Amino acid sequence: MRKPIIAGNWKMYKTISQAIELANGLKRAFYDLDAEAIDIVLCPVFTALSEVNEVISGSPMQLGAQDVFWQQEGAFTGEVSPLMLKDVGCKYVIIGHSERRQYFGETNQTVNKKVKAALQNGLIPIMCVGETLKERQEEKTFEVLKDHIQNGLTGLTAQEVSDIVIAYEPVWAIGTGKNATSQQAQEAHQFIRKLLTEMFNKEIANNIRIQYGGSVKPDNIEEIMQQPDVDGALVGGASLKVDSFSDIVIRAMKVKVKK
Ligand code: PEP
């Protein structure tokens, strides 16, 4: 059984005081939630990591960052290392988000270096993959997923990848209000799991959690979570408010967590 995982990508929103307020609101909303049943990950901006970590300690929530560099330390102005993310309390890190691929020159090669560095430092990468609208229209979705996954995970052993999380995020669904249908999500997730079986083995592929991301909201999470290969969600816009994010988590649990 794969443990469901809902992560909130706060993107470049929230000052420190706003981040504390949101984290406190979520802490109240999840006060009686069973941390063994579901993983809830908050990924604020770098500047708010420390304060959010303090707020959520002792709650069922865990801390994640939105990016990482692959070196431990050095003359790399503006970058943050995996060692530093561990130091501030992160357990997870988002790598290869489409916004980073689109605006900051992220490639499969840099994603691969970051995934390896994160794993070497005991961080769990949430590796994002997904096609653009043009690629989907040209029926290249599976080709793109294969390219992102094979190259993003190149050089890693089955043992090393066993804990990673993959986020299938069709670029055309991110921040657009246009989510993939549950069938489209399942089709992509099933393809990814089959690919992981070929690259590693069936046991590893069956254990790796695959999240869907792209305009997830309280009113579509249940349908998406009902798909057998969907293990959770990476949530952007709807993770910025206590009500919507907590509603998503509760609804996801209703579908996946059997009492
Ligand atoms: C994201 O940022 O990863 C995302 C899926 O955003 P949204 O939920 O706003 O589409």
Side-chain angles (χ1 to χ4, degrees), residues 140-152:
K140 289 185 178 153
T141 298
F142 293 155
E143 201 182 304
V144 171
L145 292 179
K146 199 169 175 181
D147 178 50
H148 284 177
I149 290 172
Q150 283 186 337
N151 291 308

Side-chain angles (χ1 to χ4, degrees), residues 9 11 97 99 169 173-176 213-216 234-237:
N9 172 16
K11 310 199 189 203
H97 191 279
E99 286 152 16
E169 296 211 309
I174 298 178
T176 59
S215 297
V216 168
L234 180 53
V235 186

Side-chain angles (χ1 to χ4, degrees), residues 52-64:
V52 169
N53 190 45
E54 219 166 282
V55 173
I56 66 177
S57 83
S59 85
M61 294 177 281
Q62 302 168 76
L63 193 68

Side-chain angles (χ1 to χ4, degrees), residues 148-215:
H148 284 177
I149 290 172
Q150 283 186 337
N151 291 308
L153 299 181
T154 191
L156 289 161
T157 64
Q159 188 62 33
E160 285 166 331
V161 298
S162 61
D163 277 339
I164 72 160
V165 176
I166 292 181
Y168 167 60
E169 296 211 309
V171 181
W172 49 271
I174 298 178
T176 59
K178 237 190 277 162
N179 61 285
T181 64
S182 51
Q183 287 80 1
Q184 285 170 324
Q186 170 57 23
E187 194 182 47
H189 285 223
Q190 193 174 31
F191 174 83
I192 292 169
R193 210 175 295 287
K194 190 164 161 279
L195 181 63
L196 292 170
T197 306
E198 288 159 15
M199 288 172 65
F200 302 103
N201 61 56
K202 201 164 175 59
E203 197 193 335
I204 294 289
N206 278 339
N207 282 334
I208 290 180
R209 294 178 294 176
I210 309 175
Q211 296 176 304
Y212 167 77
S215 297

Side-chain angles (χ1 to χ4, degrees), residues 71-90:
Q71 297 279 356
Q72 292 291 79
E73 62 176 12
F76 302 104
T77 302
E79 295 296 328
V80 177
S81 81
L83 185 73
M84 291 158 187
L85 293 184
K86 275 296 273 190
D87 188 43
V88 77
C90 287

